[in-house]
Amino acid sequence: MNATDRTPADLLRSALAADPSRPLVTFYDDATGERVELSVATFANWVAKTSNLLQDGMSVEPGDRIALLLPAHWQTAVWLLACASVGAVADVGGDPGRADHVVAGPGNFEAGLACGGDRYALSLAPLGRRFVPSPPEGYADYAVEVPTYGDRFAPYAPVDPEAPALVVAGAEYSGAEVVERARAEAAGLGLTGPGSRLLSGLPYDTWEGLSAGLYGPLASDGSVVLCRNLDRATEDTLTRRIESERITATAR
């Protein structure tokens, strides 16, 4: 993290320059038993590919609104940072009828059809698997499309830190506001600097969930253990996870 970082994409670039091998997002799904660990480098690679998909595959320009109809998930975190990288507005749980494009997961495909722009579907299956035999009608399969895009990304237009970047729970934030608020709240979440590991079971449909589950750890050189369906985990399972993942703080 550098004092000059003004957008979430800046935070990711600084993390990549400082220590690309350290864990950034570790994801558990207690409904499927899935565990995925992404280093800063691996996460940044997914973000770069997704950013290129947005910019070249979907012709997204700064200010375009992307409705993200997705739960707390490592791929959702990728999309949030990809939107920040191109200057698009990530509208979490937003109205697809008012969005330029939509990205949807299971349970939201029908609602997403209200969007007249490009529609991408995520299976959210373990290992980011594609749909079999095909994605939902009216959607392209993210898992099929994203590997074809480049591992390096450069925006065609500079991203304005003061422009709208995120909408969640009816509140709008610029990229600079996301960074400033995440930095200010990090200590309150128990993120005290490098090595801090926050376990979050909060959904992504509030600022608090996004701060604990992505932006706070990124802004403080920490990392997040993001848990979906945490209510299905037993207390013994949670205790073992806290120990094995070297958790220093929790948000549930």
Side-chain angles (χ1 to χ4, degrees):
M1 179 181 66
N2 295 322
T4 56
D5 292 338
R6 299 290 311 285
T7 71
D10 290 338
L11 294 175
L12 182 58
R13 281 190 289 269
S14 291
L16 188 62
D19 187 358
S21 64
R22 71 173 176 86
L24 180 60
V25 177
T26 303
F27 174 75
Y28 281 86
D29 188 333
D30 285 293
T32 66
E34 178 184 10
R35 180 187 182 275
V36 175
E37 182 172 282
L38 291 89
S39 67
V40 176
T42 301
F43 184 80
N45 182 258
W46 276 93
V47 171
K49 285 181 173 292
T50 305
S51 300
N52 283 314
L53 168 61
L54 280 164
Q55 184 168 260
D56 295 330
M58 300 166 66
S59 299
V60 169
E61 298 180 351
D64 284 357
R65 184 175 295 259
I66 313 297
L68 300 181
L69 309 184
L70 301 166
H73 192 277
W74 69 266
Q75 289 187 325
T76 311
V78 166
W79 275 95
L80 286 162
L81 265 293
C83 288
S85 297
V86 303
V89 180
D91 191 352
V92 180
D95 180 358
R98 300 178 59 191
D100 296 291
H101 308 283
V102 68
V103 183
N108 290 304
F109 298 133
E110 184 175 353
L113 293 175
C115 179
D118 289 319
R119 307 183 199 100
Y120 276 82
L122 277 62
S123 72
L124 303 182
L127 305 178
R129 289 198 304 266
R130 63 183 60 187
F131 289 91
V132 179
S134 60
E137 186 72 24
Y139 286 86
D141 189 339
Y142 171 67
V144 172
E145 300 294 330
V146 75
T148 67
Y149 287 88
D151 296 333
R152 296 181 181 275
F153 174 74
Y156 294 149
V159 175
D160 180 0
E162 304 301 333
L166 173 71
V167 177
V168 61
E172 182 177 277
Y173 304 88
S174 69
E177 287 172 332
V178 170
V179 171
E180 291 165 6
R181 187 166 180 180
R183 282 173 170 160
E185 296 176 0
L189 290 168
L191 294 163
T192 55
S196 295
R197 281 177 64 77
L198 173 64
L199 182 147
S200 176
L202 300 178
Y204 268 5
D205 57 0
T206 65
W207 165 259
E208 290 74 19
L210 291 174
S211 181
L214 177 60
Y215 297 124
L218 187 59
S220 61
D221 295 326
S223 59
V224 62
V225 176
L226 184 63
C227 300
R228 185 183 182 200
N229 297 311
L230 188 59
D231 58 335
R232 302 194 187 188
T234 66
E235 285 301 317
D236 285 345
T237 296
L238 183 58
T239 298
R240 288 195 299 271
R241 185 173 304 166
I242 289 171
E243 292 175 353
S244 66
E245 297 289 354
R246 303 181 304 281
I247 299 301
T248 60
T250 62
R252 293 190 280 157

